[in-house]
Amino acid sequence: MQFEPGDRRRVLPRHLRPAAPVEVFSYTIRPVRATDLPHVREIYNHFVSNSAVTLDERRSSIPYWREKFALLTKLNLPFLVAVSPGGVVLGYALAQPWAGKNAYRYTVEDSIYLGPGAGGKGLGAALLQALIDACAQIGIREMVAVISDSGAEASIRLHAKLGFEEAGRMGRVGFKFGRELGTVYMRRALRPSGRRRGLFSSSRGR
């Protein structure tokens, strides 16, 4: 197709225009660094202020996350972040002690949160699978998820997709945003490829 000089129809028909480049959602999953903690804090605080996915009502602080980072490092438990090519923290996942007694040292509770705009792109599944793999490598045998029963259908589906099974429910154990909330417990047995060396320090009565 040719156009005469001065012809205003210089724009090609839609079917002849070159396709626009497809933006690829890419990221790297790696262990958290101290410099990531402010971004992790902001992701979590977004859910504290705007969602019942977490039953926390007070926004977390940088000292809180530094303390958690130090504790998980001491216990040799994974704390992962997903980072964009530009260095933006898109989400995080961590494993923490299920309970304070040493008898629970082979069981952990997972926590996974994605930043705004990062959901619905497979990142949640990738982060949770990376967390499962990291836990298996250090000898963890069981992973537990405690999920709010309000507006957390996506989290329940995500855990079910990764092999978690519902283990029970507790109703009306929380209260946030003026309404009563319950929790859904899910669990998955892991296949440890390593040996658990560290012990969880007990802060509770024997």
Side-chain angles (χ1 to χ4, degrees):
M1 178 181 292
Q2 295 182 344
F3 297 111
E4 295 297 329
D7 195 329
R8 295 183 179 180
R9 298 174 299 166
R10 290 174 180 265
V11 178
L12 288 173
R14 185 179 299 274
H15 69 282
L16 294 178
R17 299 174 194 171
V22 178
E23 184 177 350
V24 178
F25 181 69
S26 59
Y27 52 85
T28 300
I29 296 176
R30 59 165 172 77
V32 73
R33 301 169 184 164
T35 53
D36 298 323
L37 296 180
H39 306 287
V40 168
R41 170 181 174 265
E42 289 307 309
I43 290 173
Y44 185 69
N45 283 348
H46 170 77
F47 288 94
V48 172
S49 300
N50 301 286
S51 172
V53 170
T54 172
L55 297 186
D56 273 344
E57 294 182 298
R58 295 181 179 178
R59 292 169 63 86
S60 59
S61 64
I62 294 297
Y64 166 84
W65 283 103
R66 287 175 180 162
E67 182 178 347
K68 181 179 285 288
F69 179 33
L71 175 63
L72 297 183
T73 300
K74 178 182 178 181
L75 298 177
N76 191 33
L77 291 175
F79 187 167
L80 307 175
V81 289
V83 183
S84 74
V88 177
V89 176
L90 303 171
Y92 73 89
L94 61 85
Q96 57 195 347
W98 166 241
K101 296 182 174 62
N102 285 338
Y104 294 111
R105 63 187 175 273
Y106 296 108
T107 301
V108 294
E109 177 184 347
D110 76 82
S111 181
I112 177 169
Y113 289 90
L114 303 182
K121 301 177 181 179
L123 179 57
L127 263 174
L128 184 53
Q129 186 61 63
L131 188 71
I132 291 169
D133 294 342
C135 285
Q137 289 173 7
I138 60 173
I140 297 299
R141 302 174 183 174
E142 195 84 10
M143 185 174 287
V144 177
V146 183
I147 304 170
S148 168
D149 67 357
S150 177
E153 293 80 7
S155 183
I156 293 173
R157 288 194 301 268
L158 170 63
H159 283 81
K161 179 180 178 180
L162 271 293
F164 285 73
E165 299 177 346
E166 185 173 323
R169 294 181 179 238
M170 295 182 68
R172 302 171 62 181
V173 292
F175 189 85
K176 187 176 181 181
F177 297 146
R179 64 181 187 271
E180 294 174 326
L181 301 166
T183 52
V184 179
Y185 291 82
M186 302 186 76
R187 57 167 292 274
R188 171 179 162 161
L190 307 186
R191 295 181 179 179
S193 57
R195 183 177 179 181
R196 182 69 183 151
R197 298 180 182 276
L199 301 181
F200 297 159
S201 59
S202 176
S203 59
R204 302 182 182 181
R206 297 178 181 176

Short mmCIF file of all heavy atoms in Angstrom, two decimals, residues 35-81:
data_model
loop_
_atom_site.label_atom_id
_atom_site.label_comp_id
_atom_site.label_asym_id
_atom_site.label_seq_id
_atom_site.Cartn_x
_atom_site.Cartn_y
_atom_site.Cartn_z
N THR A 35 18.83 -4.40 53.57
CA THR A 35 18.35 -3.24 52.81
C THR A 35 16.95 -3.46 52.24
O THR A 35 16.30 -2.49 51.81
CB THR A 35 19.32 -2.91 51.67
OG1 THR A 35 19.55 -4.09 50.88
CG2 THR A 35 20.64 -2.40 52.22
N ASP A 36 16.47 -4.71 52.22
CA ASP A 36 15.12 -5.00 51.72
C ASP A 36 14.05 -4.75 52.77
O ASP A 36 12.87 -4.64 52.43
CB ASP A 36 15.02 -6.47 51.28
CG ASP A 36 15.95 -6.83 50.15
OD1 ASP A 36 16.16 -5.99 49.26
OD2 ASP A 36 16.48 -7.97 50.17
N LEU A 37 14.45 -4.69 54.03
CA LEU A 37 13.46 -4.69 55.11
C LEU A 37 12.49 -3.51 55.07
O LEU A 37 11.30 -3.69 55.35
CB LEU A 37 14.18 -4.75 56.46
CG LEU A 37 14.98 -6.03 56.71
CD1 LEU A 37 15.65 -5.98 58.09
CD2 LEU A 37 14.10 -7.27 56.59
N PRO A 38 12.92 -2.29 54.72
CA PRO A 38 11.92 -1.21 54.62
C PRO A 38 10.84 -1.50 53.58
O PRO A 38 9.67 -1.15 53.78
CB PRO A 38 12.77 0.01 54.22
CG PRO A 38 14.13 -0.29 54.75
CD PRO A 38 14.29 -1.78 54.56
N HIS A 39 11.22 -2.15 52.48
CA HIS A 39 10.25 -2.48 51.44
C HIS A 39 9.32 -3.61 51.91
O HIS A 39 8.11 -3.59 51.62
CB HIS A 39 10.98 -2.89 50.17
CG HIS A 39 11.98 -1.87 49.71
ND1 HIS A 39 11.61 -0.68 49.13
CD2 HIS A 39 13.34 -1.86 49.77
CE1 HIS A 39 12.68 0.03 48.85
NE2 HIS A 39 13.74 -0.66 49.22
N VAL A 40 9.88 -4.59 52.62
CA VAL A 40 9.06 -5.66 53.19
C VAL A 40 8.05 -5.07 54.16
O VAL A 40 6.87 -5.44 54.18
CB VAL A 40 9.96 -6.69 53.89
CG1 VAL A 40 9.14 -7.66 54.74
CG2 VAL A 40 10.80 -7.45 52.87
N ARG A 41 8.52 -4.15 54.98
CA ARG A 41 7.64 -3.49 55.95
C ARG A 41 6.48 -2.79 55.26
O ARG A 41 5.32 -2.90 55.71
CB ARG A 41 8.46 -2.49 56.76
CG ARG A 41 7.63 -1.56 57.65
CD ARG A 41 8.56 -0.60 58.37
NE ARG A 41 7.81 0.39 59.13
CZ ARG A 41 7.50 1.61 58.70
NH1 ARG A 41 7.87 1.98 57.48
NH2 ARG A 41 6.84 2.45 59.46
N GLU A 42 6.74 -2.08 54.18
CA GLU A 42 5.69 -1.36 53.49
C GLU A 42 4.67 -2.31 52.86
O GLU A 42 3.46 -2.04 52.87
CB GLU A 42 6.28 -0.44 52.42
CG GLU A 42 7.00 0.76 52.99
CD GLU A 42 6.14 1.55 53.96
OE1 GLU A 42 4.99 1.90 53.60
OE2 GLU A 42 6.59 1.81 55.09
N ILE A 43 5.14 -3.42 52.32
CA ILE A 43 4.21 -4.41 51.76
C ILE A 43 3.30 -4.94 52.85
O ILE A 43 2.07 -5.01 52.70
CB ILE A 43 4.99 -5.56 51.09
CG1 ILE A 43 5.67 -5.06 49.81
CG2 ILE A 43 4.06 -6.74 50.78
CD1 ILE A 43 6.58 -6.07 49.17
N TYR A 44 3.89 -5.32 53.99
CA TYR A 44 3.08 -5.87 55.07
C TYR A 44 2.12 -4.83 55.63
O TYR A 44 0.93 -5.12 55.88
CB TYR A 44 3.99 -6.41 56.17
CG TYR A 44 3.21 -7.10 57.27
CD1 TYR A 44 2.57 -8.31 57.03
CD2 TYR A 44 3.11 -6.53 58.54
CE1 TYR A 44 1.85 -8.95 58.04
CE2 TYR A 44 2.39 -7.16 59.54
CZ TYR A 44 1.77 -8.36 59.29
OH TYR A 44 1.05 -8.99 60.27
N ASN A 45 2.60 -3.61 55.83
CA ASN A 45 1.75 -2.58 56.42
C ASN A 45 0.58 -2.21 55.51
O ASN A 45 -0.47 -1.78 56.01
CB ASN A 45 2.59 -1.33 56.72
CG ASN A 45 3.41 -1.50 57.98
OD1 ASN A 45 3.22 -2.44 58.75
ND2 ASN A 45 4.35 -0.58 58.20
N HIS A 46 0.74 -2.39 54.22
CA HIS A 46 -0.39 -2.17 53.30
C HIS A 46 -1.55 -3.09 53.67
O HIS A 46 -2.72 -2.65 53.69
CB HIS A 46 0.05 -2.42 51.87
CG HIS A 46 -1.08 -2.45 50.89
ND1 HIS A 46 -1.72 -1.31 50.42
CD2 HIS A 46 -1.74 -3.50 50.31
CE1 HIS A 46 -2.68 -1.65 49.59
NE2 HIS A 46 -2.72 -2.97 49.50
N PHE A 47 -1.25 -4.34 53.99
CA PHE A 47 -2.29 -5.29 54.35
C PHE A 47 -2.81 -5.05 55.77
O PHE A 47 -3.99 -5.28 56.05
CB PHE A 47 -1.77 -6.72 54.20
CG PHE A 47 -1.61 -7.15 52.77
CD1 PHE A 47 -0.39 -7.00 52.13
CD2 PHE A 47 -2.67 -7.66 52.06
CE1 PHE A 47 -0.24 -7.37 50.80
CE2 PHE A 47 -2.53 -8.04 50.73
CZ PHE A 47 -1.31 -7.89 50.10
N VAL A 48 -1.94 -4.59 56.66
CA VAL A 48 -2.38 -4.25 58.01
C VAL A 48 -3.45 -3.18 57.96
O VAL A 48 -4.48 -3.27 58.64
CB VAL A 48 -1.18 -3.78 58.87
CG1 VAL A 48 -1.68 -3.23 60.21
CG2 VAL A 48 -0.21 -4.92 59.10
N SER A 49 -3.23 -2.16 57.14
CA SER A 49 -4.13 -1.01 57.09
C SER A 49 -5.37 -1.23 56.22
O SER A 49 -6.39 -0.58 56.44
CB SER A 49 -3.38 0.22 56.56
OG SER A 49 -2.29 0.55 57.40
N ASN A 50 -5.29 -2.14 55.26
CA ASN A 50 -6.35 -2.23 54.25
C ASN A 50 -7.02 -3.58 54.12
O ASN A 50 -7.91 -3.73 53.27
CB ASN A 50 -5.78 -1.84 52.88
CG ASN A 50 -5.22 -0.44 52.86
OD1 ASN A 50 -5.95 0.54 52.86
ND2 ASN A 50 -3.89 -0.33 52.86
N SER A 51 -6.63 -4.55 54.93
CA SER A 51 -7.14 -5.90 54.71
C SER A 51 -7.23 -6.67 56.02
O SER A 51 -6.51 -6.39 56.98
CB SER A 51 -6.21 -6.64 53.73
OG SER A 51 -6.56 -8.00 53.63
N ALA A 52 -8.12 -7.66 56.01
CA ALA A 52 -8.22 -8.58 57.14
C ALA A 52 -7.43 -9.85 56.87
O ALA A 52 -7.55 -10.84 57.59
CB ALA A 52 -9.67 -8.92 57.42
N VAL A 53 -6.61 -9.85 55.81
CA VAL A 53 -5.76 -11.00 55.52
C VAL A 53 -4.81 -11.25 56.68
O VAL A 53 -4.50 -12.38 57.03
CB VAL A 53 -4.98 -10.76 54.21
CG1 VAL A 53 -3.91 -11.82 54.02
CG2 VAL A 53 -5.94 -10.78 53.03
N THR A 54 -4.31 -10.16 57.30
CA THR A 54 -3.58 -10.28 58.55
C THR A 54 -4.44 -9.69 59.65
O THR A 54 -5.14 -8.68 59.46
CB THR A 54 -2.23 -9.54 58.50
OG1 THR A 54 -1.66 -9.53 59.83
CG2 THR A 54 -2.37 -8.11 58.03
N LEU A 55 -4.39 -10.29 60.83
CA LEU A 55 -5.17 -9.79 61.95
C LEU A 55 -4.39 -8.76 62.76
O LEU A 55 -4.89 -8.29 63.79
CB LEU A 55 -5.63 -10.95 62.83
CG LEU A 55 -6.56 -11.95 62.14
CD1 LEU A 55 -7.09 -12.98 63.12
CD2 LEU A 55 -7.72 -11.24 61.44
N ASP A 56 -3.19 -8.44 62.33
CA ASP A 56 -2.48 -7.32 62.96
C ASP A 56 -3.25 -6.04 62.73
O ASP A 56 -3.75 -5.78 61.63
CB ASP A 56 -1.06 -7.17 62.37
CG ASP A 56 -0.04 -8.04 63.08
OD1 ASP A 56 -0.34 -8.52 64.19
OD2 ASP A 56 1.05 -8.23 62.53
N GLU A 57 -3.33 -5.20 63.76
CA GLU A 57 -4.02 -3.92 63.63
C GLU A 57 -3.05 -2.74 63.68
O GLU A 57 -3.41 -1.63 63.29
CB GLU A 57 -5.05 -3.76 64.75
CG GLU A 57 -6.20 -4.76 64.65
CD GLU A 57 -7.23 -4.55 65.73
OE1 GLU A 57 -6.88 -4.69 66.92
OE2 GLU A 57 -8.39 -4.23 65.38
N ARG A 58 -1.85 -2.98 64.17
CA ARG A 58 -0.85 -1.91 64.27
C ARG A 58 0.21 -2.11 63.20
O ARG A 58 0.72 -3.22 63.01
CB ARG A 58 -0.21 -1.92 65.65
CG ARG A 58 -1.17 -1.59 66.79
CD ARG A 58 -0.46 -1.59 68.13
NE ARG A 58 -1.37 -1.26 69.22
CZ ARG A 58 -1.03 -1.21 70.50
NH1 ARG A 58 0.23 -1.48 70.84
NH2 ARG A 58 -1.92 -0.91 71.43
N ARG A 59 0.56 -1.02 62.54
CA ARG A 59 1.59 -1.07 61.51
C ARG A 59 2.94 -1.43 62.13
O ARG A 59 3.26 -0.99 63.22
CB ARG A 59 1.67 0.29 60.79
CG ARG A 59 0.43 0.59 59.97
CD ARG A 59 0.40 2.02 59.50
NE ARG A 59 1.52 2.34 58.62
CZ ARG A 59 1.52 2.13 57.30
NH1 ARG A 59 0.46 1.59 56.71
NH2 ARG A 59 2.56 2.45 56.57
N SER A 60 3.69 -2.24 61.42
CA SER A 60 4.97 -2.72 61.94
C SER A 60 6.06 -1.67 61.73
O SER A 60 5.95 -0.77 60.90
CB SER A 60 5.37 -4.03 61.25
OG SER A 60 5.47 -3.84 59.85
N SER A 61 7.15 -1.83 62.48
CA SER A 61 8.25 -0.88 62.44
C SER A 61 9.50 -1.54 61.86
O SER A 61 9.59 -2.77 61.75
CB SER A 61 8.57 -0.38 63.85
OG SER A 61 9.02 -1.47 64.67
N ILE A 62 10.47 -0.73 61.50
CA ILE A 62 11.74 -1.27 61.01
C ILE A 62 12.44 -2.09 62.10
O ILE A 62 12.95 -3.18 61.80
CB ILE A 62 12.65 -0.13 60.52
CG1 ILE A 62 12.04 0.52 59.27
CG2 ILE A 62 14.05 -0.66 60.20
CD1 ILE A 62 11.90 -0.41 58.09
N PRO A 63 12.49 -1.63 63.37
CA PRO A 63 13.10 -2.48 64.42
C PRO A 63 12.43 -3.85 64.53
O PRO A 63 13.11 -4.85 64.78
CB PRO A 63 12.91 -1.64 65.69
CG PRO A 63 12.92 -0.24 65.20
CD PRO A 63 12.19 -0.28 63.88
N TYR A 64 11.11 -3.90 64.35
CA TYR A 64 10.40 -5.18 64.39
C TYR A 64 10.95 -6.13 63.31
O TYR A 64 11.22 -7.31 63.58
CB TYR A 64 8.91 -4.96 64.19
CG TYR A 64 8.13 -6.22 63.89
CD1 TYR A 64 7.69 -7.04 64.91
CD2 TYR A 64 7.84 -6.59 62.56
CE1 TYR A 64 6.98 -8.21 64.63
CE2 TYR A 64 7.14 -7.74 62.28
CZ TYR A 64 6.71 -8.55 63.31
OH TYR A 64 6.03 -9.71 63.03
N TRP A 65 11.11 -5.61 62.09
CA TRP A 65 11.57 -6.45 60.99
C TRP A 65 13.05 -6.81 61.14
O TRP A 65 13.47 -7.90 60.76
CB TRP A 65 11.29 -5.79 59.65
CG TRP A 65 9.84 -5.92 59.29
CD1 TRP A 65 8.88 -4.96 59.38
CD2 TRP A 65 9.18 -7.11 58.85
NE1 TRP A 65 7.66 -5.48 59.01
CE2 TRP A 65 7.82 -6.79 58.68
CE3 TRP A 65 9.62 -8.40 58.58
CZ2 TRP A 65 6.88 -7.72 58.25
CZ3 TRP A 65 8.67 -9.33 58.14
CH2 TRP A 65 7.33 -8.99 57.99
N ARG A 66 13.83 -5.91 61.70
CA ARG A 66 15.23 -6.24 61.97
C ARG A 66 15.34 -7.37 62.99
O ARG A 66 16.17 -8.28 62.85
CB ARG A 66 15.96 -5.00 62.48
CG ARG A 66 16.22 -3.95 61.40
CD ARG A 66 16.83 -2.70 61.99
NE ARG A 66 17.10 -1.69 60.98
CZ ARG A 66 17.31 -0.40 61.24
NH1 ARG A 66 17.28 0.03 62.51
NH2 ARG A 66 17.55 0.44 60.25
N GLU A 67 14.48 -7.32 64.00
CA GLU A 67 14.48 -8.37 65.02
C GLU A 67 14.04 -9.70 64.41
O GLU A 67 14.63 -10.75 64.70
CB GLU A 67 13.56 -7.97 66.17
CG GLU A 67 13.53 -8.97 67.31
CD GLU A 67 12.65 -8.51 68.45
OE1 GLU A 67 12.25 -7.32 68.47
OE2 GLU A 67 12.33 -9.35 69.33
N LYS A 68 13.00 -9.67 63.58
CA LYS A 68 12.54 -10.91 62.94
C LYS A 68 13.62 -11.47 62.02
O LYS A 68 13.87 -12.68 61.99
CB LYS A 68 11.25 -10.66 62.16
CG LYS A 68 10.68 -11.91 61.50
CD LYS A 68 9.40 -11.62 60.76
CE LYS A 68 8.25 -11.44 61.70
NZ LYS A 68 7.84 -12.75 62.33
N PHE A 69 14.26 -10.60 61.25
CA PHE A 69 15.34 -11.01 60.35
C PHE A 69 16.46 -11.68 61.14
O PHE A 69 16.97 -12.74 60.76
CB PHE A 69 15.84 -9.78 59.60
CG PHE A 69 16.98 -10.03 58.64
CD1 PHE A 69 17.10 -11.22 57.95
CD2 PHE A 69 17.93 -9.04 58.41
CE1 PHE A 69 18.16 -11.43 57.05
CE2 PHE A 69 18.98 -9.24 57.53
CZ PHE A 69 19.09 -10.44 56.86
N ALA A 70 16.85 -11.08 62.26
CA ALA A 70 17.92 -11.64 63.09
C ALA A 70 17.51 -12.99 63.67
O ALA A 70 18.32 -13.93 63.71
CB ALA A 70 18.28 -10.66 64.20
N LEU A 71 16.26 -13.11 64.11
CA LEU A 71 15.79 -14.36 64.69
C LEU A 71 15.77 -15.49 63.66
O LEU A 71 16.27 -16.60 63.92
CB LEU A 71 14.39 -14.18 65.27
CG LEU A 71 13.73 -15.46 65.82
CD1 LEU A 71 14.53 -16.02 66.99
CD2 LEU A 71 12.29 -15.19 66.22
N LEU A 72 15.23 -15.22 62.47
CA LEU A 72 15.15 -16.25 61.45
C LEU A 72 16.54 -16.65 60.96
O LEU A 72 16.79 -17.82 60.65
CB LEU A 72 14.29 -15.78 60.27
CG LEU A 72 12.82 -15.49 60.60
CD1 LEU A 72 12.05 -15.11 59.35
CD2 LEU A 72 12.16 -16.66 61.30
N THR A 73 17.45 -15.67 60.91
CA THR A 73 18.84 -15.99 60.54
C THR A 73 19.46 -16.89 61.59
O THR A 73 20.14 -17.88 61.27
CB THR A 73 19.65 -14.69 60.40
OG1 THR A 73 19.07 -13.87 59.37
CG2 THR A 73 21.09 -15.00 60.04
N LYS A 74 19.25 -16.58 62.86
CA LYS A 74 19.79 -17.39 63.96
C LYS A 74 19.24 -18.82 63.92
O LYS A 74 19.97 -19.79 64.17
CB LYS A 74 19.44 -16.74 65.29
CG LYS A 74 19.91 -17.52 66.51
CD LYS A 74 19.49 -16.82 67.79
CE LYS A 74 19.89 -17.62 69.03
NZ LYS A 74 19.46 -16.94 70.28
N LEU A 75 17.96 -18.95 63.57
CA LEU A 75 17.31 -20.27 63.53
C LEU A 75 17.52 -20.98 62.20
O LEU A 75 17.01 -22.08 62.01
CB LEU A 75 15.82 -20.12 63.81
CG LEU A 75 15.43 -19.56 65.18
CD1 LEU A 75 13.92 -19.41 65.29
CD2 LEU A 75 15.97 -20.45 66.29
N ASN A 76 18.22 -20.34 61.28
CA ASN A 76 18.48 -20.91 59.96
C ASN A 76 17.18 -21.21 59.20
O ASN A 76 17.03 -22.25 58.55
CB ASN A 76 19.32 -22.20 60.08
CG ASN A 76 19.83 -22.69 58.74
OD1 ASN A 76 20.11 -21.89 57.84
ND2 ASN A 76 19.94 -24.00 58.58
N LEU A 77 16.24 -20.29 59.29
CA LEU A 77 14.97 -20.44 58.59
C LEU A 77 14.92 -19.47 57.41
O LEU A 77 15.41 -18.35 57.50
CB LEU A 77 13.79 -20.17 59.53
CG LEU A 77 13.57 -21.22 60.61
CD1 LEU A 77 12.45 -20.79 61.57
CD2 LEU A 77 13.24 -22.57 60.00
N PRO A 78 14.34 -19.88 56.29
CA PRO A 78 14.36 -19.05 55.07
C PRO A 78 13.47 -17.83 55.15
O PRO A 78 12.37 -17.87 55.68
CB PRO A 78 13.89 -20.01 53.97
CG PRO A 78 13.12 -21.07 54.69
CD PRO A 78 13.75 -21.22 56.04
N PHE A 79 13.99 -16.75 54.60
CA PHE A 79 13.27 -15.48 54.47
C PHE A 79 13.64 -14.99 53.06
O PHE A 79 14.77 -14.58 52.81
CB PHE A 79 13.76 -14.52 55.55
CG PHE A 79 12.99 -13.22 55.66
CD1 PHE A 79 13.16 -12.40 56.76
CD2 PHE A 79 12.09 -12.80 54.67
CE1 PHE A 79 12.48 -11.19 56.88
CE2 PHE A 79 11.39 -11.61 54.79
CZ PHE A 79 11.60 -10.80 55.90
N LEU A 80 12.68 -15.07 52.14
CA LEU A 80 12.94 -14.82 50.72
C LEU A 80 12.21 -13.59 50.23
O LEU A 80 11.13 -13.25 50.73
CB LEU A 80 12.50 -16.03 49.89
CG LEU A 80 13.04 -17.39 50.32
CD1 LEU A 80 12.40 -18.49 49.47
CD2 LEU A 80 14.55 -17.45 50.20
N VAL A 81 12.79 -12.94 49.22
CA VAL A 81 12.10 -11.83 48.55
C VAL A 81 12.14 -12.08 47.04
O VAL A 81 13.06 -12.72 46.53
CB VAL A 81 12.75 -10.47 48.86
CG1 VAL A 81 12.48 -10.04 50.28
CG2 VAL A 81 14.24 -10.47 48.56
#
